Amino acid sequence: MSELRKGEEVSVEEILESFEVFRIESYGYDETPKTIAPKPSDFLVVKPKNAEEISKLLKIANEKGIAIFTRGGGTGLSAGAIPTKKGILISTERLKGIEIDVKNKVAICEAGVTLGELSKMAERHGLSFPPRPGDENATIGGMIATNAGGVRAMKYGVMRNYVLGLEAVLPDGRKIKLGGKTLKNSSGYSLLHLLVGSEGTLAIITKAVIRLMPPMKEMSMLAIPFRTIDDALDYVIDTTQIMIPMAMEFMEKRAVEIGEKVSGKRWVSREGNAHILAIFERRDEAEESAELAFANNAIDVFVASPKEQRDLLELRGKIYLGVKDKAIEILDACVPIASIAEFLKRSEEVSKRYGIDVISYGHAGDGNIHQHPLIFDGWQKVYWKFREEILRIAVEMDGAISGEHGIGEIKKEELRRFYPEIFELMKELKRLFDPKGILNPGKVVE
Ligand SMILES: Cc1cc2nc3c(=O)[nH]c(=O)nc-3n(C[C@H](O)[C@H](O)[C@H](O)COP(=O)(O)OP(=O)(O)OC[C@H]3O[C@@H](n4cnc5c(N)ncnc54)[C@H](O)[C@@H]3O)c2cc1C
């Protein structure tokens, strides 16, 4: 505590009186690769039990001008939850209340409920929660704050499509309730949707009403090696002209090899440079899609048994783990699906020009490609120019600089550069919500 007080006009005694305060060094990091993550500042951790405590804490922090950072599961990839200014980090780990309203097909979740917990609870009530960002420890608050996506987004949408209601605390401590349990709401400006994707900069989400779906159907899975990226992505486009599969994941050859190594599972073929893992809810869809794969020169089409399905999902799910320590970062530009092949080609030209090796895989069904530029000696000298060029290509293609990971600390410069007018508007909104700039200072629009 003394460090926080030292040299500061503010006193945090009031906070100390009412809250248990922790020092947890690991909360200074999230899953952003260390190469690019900012160094955490000096911070204290508070673990409020409910929205009232958060409200009380924010009221004091706002009066005293103390920086507040919010941390959910800490699985973020844009350094959004890293405390970058001396202050207090609010962990939502004690906000665990969850209740299922079966007839209305909604879950009322406190912010710290994890993806894994919500999915299990929904299944126990004969329902499902379709979004599947890749880490089950992500929290509802964090997923809403980043508008998380995942492999099933092409069919089932992203977090935004599941948030019907929100309870949040504004920087001055006011509690607000937005939306509710209805599927429709045209009652004025949708502040609810403004908070979705706001990355802890406008308000702290304490509770959400989450839309649930009927149970998932049985899965059919195809694993398909192609010789070229063009063939693989033409197959994706052809399939989505006649049906929307649950997921269509693209992996370049080296990504498959990394997934094999980390998971200990084997991919279906040693041949091919571009691989697609396609998931369907109906067998006849898988069969129809398999024909399209052959029509686009697939080397072969493998139908996975239930055990193989689990293995292949594990292989795909573990690629990030295998590449994380070798990569400078994980880029997640998103382009229209008909432009993915062109995006990858243009990216390769840029990579060659800079001499940067990039491993790519991602959600081919929605255009969100994860590119991992690999670390090399002296990367710091050229990397930022390279990255700007890659993201500029996505913007030129009517794409986005982030499809699902958010801006956080690490993409704010590109947000400002590529969308200057919007950036100014976002800053004005930030000022309106948080005139003293206490919430997640330095992130997204600063
Ligand atoms: C292996 C792996 C795979 C992944 N796969 C995917 C994927 O497929 N799709 C995808 O979208 N993401 C993916 N992610 C990224 C990550 O899981 C998501 O960004 C997730 O939404 C972050 O949730 P969290 O609870 O961990 O948030 P944190 O990392 O704790 O925080 C993220 C941001 O949200 C803010 N925040 C957290 N809680 C709140 C709250 N209650 N109120 C206001 N702001 C809050 C934080 O301040 C921060 O800005 C993956 C990450 C890993 C490690």
Side-chain angles (χ1 to χ4, degrees):
M1 266 329 299
S2 53
E3 282 172 75
L4 194 77
R5 275 190 230 139
K6 201 167 53 184
E8 298 243 355
E9 297 264 322
V10 298
S11 149
V12 289
E13 261 126 37
E14 285 175 85
I15 300 172
L16 275 175
E17 273 166 24
S18 338
F19 297 94
E20 209 182 342
V21 177
F22 305 82
R23 272 203 183 270
I24 308 174
E25 209 187 309
S26 62
Y27 283 11
Y29 304 91
D30 62 5
E31 287 295 325
T32 311
K34 299 279 182 294
T35 36
I36 195 155
K39 218 171 143 278
S41 61
D42 185 34
F43 66 99
L44 296 169
V45 178
V46 172
K47 303 178 181 184
K49 289 191 218 56
N50 50 44
E52 283 66 37
E53 287 193 358
I54 293 181
S55 162
K56 195 171 157 193
L57 183 57
L58 288 195
K59 199 162 180 296
I60 303 167
N62 199 48
E63 275 164 19
K64 312 271 183 198
I66 298 170
I68 296 283
F69 300 88
T70 313
R71 180 184 174 92
T75 70
L77 295 168
S78 295
I82 296 183
T84 44
K85 197 174 166 193
K86 201 185 275 187
I88 291 171
L89 184 145
I90 292 184
S91 167
T92 58
E93 66 198 74
R94 286 182 177 162
L95 300 179
K96 284 289 187 188
I98 177 165
E99 184 192 310
I100 306 284
D101 175 344
V102 176
K103 284 192 179 164
N104 284 313
K105 293 205 298 300
V106 294
I108 300 103
C109 294
E110 286 194 309
V113 170
T114 64
L115 170 63
E117 288 162 352
L118 171 60
S119 303
K120 275 198 201 93
M121 193 72 164
E123 276 165 31
R124 222 173 286 151
H125 286 80
L127 296 167
S128 72
F129 176 63
R132 241 333 149 267
D135 193 320
E136 299 234 322
N137 297 312
T139 61
I140 293 303
M143 290 192 296
I144 295 172
T146 53
N147 190 23
V151 295
R152 294 174 181 167
M154 69 179 293
K155 179 155 194 174
Y156 286 106
V158 295
M159 218 41 213
R160 182 180 302 287
N161 307 110
Y162 291 84
V163 186
L164 302 180
L166 279 182
E167 178 192 86
V169 182
L170 295 173
D172 61 8
R174 270 179 296 160
K175 255 171 62 179
I176 54 168
K177 213 174 148 260
L178 304 165
K181 288 187 182 176
T182 62
L183 294 182
K184 291 160 74 178
N185 194 332
S186 298
S187 319
Y189 300 150
S190 181
L191 299 183
L192 178 137
H193 287 283
L194 182 58
L195 292 196
V196 177
S198 63
E199 301 188 54
T201 61
L202 301 181
I204 298 184
I205 295 157
T206 49
K207 199 188 269 183
V209 181
I210 301 291
R211 185 180 187 186
L212 300 176
M213 290 286 175
M216 289 274 152
K217 311 247 172 58
E218 215 170 278
M219 287 198 308
S220 285
M221 188 184 286
L222 302 179
I224 316 172
F226 291 89
R227 281 187 191 84
T228 67
I229 287 176
D230 281 325
D231 283 342
L233 295 168
D234 283 346
Y235 155 65
V236 171
I237 293 168
D238 285 355
T239 295
T240 55
Q241 299 297 305
I242 55 170
M243 68 180 86
I244 305 293
M246 192 197 275
M248 296 189 98
E249 292 291 292
F250 159 78
M251 294 170 279
E252 71 160 69
K253 189 177 182 171
R254 287 179 303 167
V256 168
E257 288 164 357
I258 291 168
E260 283 185 323
K261 204 164 157 202
V262 184
S263 66
K265 312 294 178 195
R266 258 177 93 78
W267 182 245
V268 293
S269 167
R270 300 291 97 198
E271 285 182 74
N273 293 313
H275 302 267
I276 299 284
L277 187 64
I279 307 176
F280 306 84
E281 281 174 286
R282 294 207 331 248
R283 217 178 128 169
D284 58 323
E285 283 184 337
E287 284 164 5
E288 210 176 341
S289 177
E291 284 172 28
L292 294 173
F294 284 120
N296 281 291
N297 312 314
I299 294 170
D300 208 339
V301 176
F302 297 85
V303 182
S305 67
K307 154 92 174 73
E308 287 164 338
Q309 289 182 6
R310 284 193 295 277
D311 288 353
L312 293 174
L313 281 177
E314 192 180 333
L315 182 155
R316 162 64 186 90
K318 291 206 164 146
I319 299 175
Y320 181 62
L321 211 63
V323 79
K324 191 178 156 190
D325 292 337
K326 303 182 188 71
I328 299 168
E329 69 170 318
I330 172 170
L331 291 168
D332 85 315
C334 197
V335 294
I337 66 162
S339 306
I340 303 175
E342 172 74 9
F343 173 70
L344 288 171
K345 253 181 237 148
R346 285 180 64 186
S347 295
E348 203 183 331
E349 283 162 21
V350 178
S351 309
K352 279 202 181 121
R353 188 152 33 83
Y354 281 87
I356 297 182
D357 195 7
V358 180
I359 293 182
S360 304
Y361 61 91
H363 314 307
D366 58 33
N368 192 193
I369 296 299
H370 297 326
Q371 296 168 295
H372 298 75
L374 302 184
I375 297 169
F376 57 97
D377 281 346
W379 64 268
Q380 293 90 339
K381 284 186 212 127
V382 291
Y383 182 67
W384 309 108
K385 278 263 152 223
F386 159 85
R387 175 195 217 249
E388 188 189 328
E389 283 197 43
I390 298 285
L391 295 179
R392 189 180 294 282
I393 295 170
V395 174
E396 282 170 7
M397 289 180 155
D398 282 334
I401 59 174
S402 170
E404 58 183 16
H405 297 161
I407 300 298
E409 170 74 23
I410 62 177
K411 285 182 210 120
K412 55 189 190 184
E413 183 49 33
E414 284 78 10
L415 186 71
R416 186 189 63 78
R417 191 167 304 157
F418 295 138
Y419 313 97
E421 294 90 9
I422 304 291
F423 189 81
E424 283 310 312
L425 207 52
M426 286 185 189
K427 273 177 88 159
E428 282 177 39
L429 281 168
K430 165 74 177 168
R431 273 195 290 271
L432 185 70
F433 271 76
D434 185 15
K436 292 198 176 170
I438 63 158
L439 274 194
N440 218 354
K443 308 287 170 61
V444 187
V445 290
E446 289 177 53

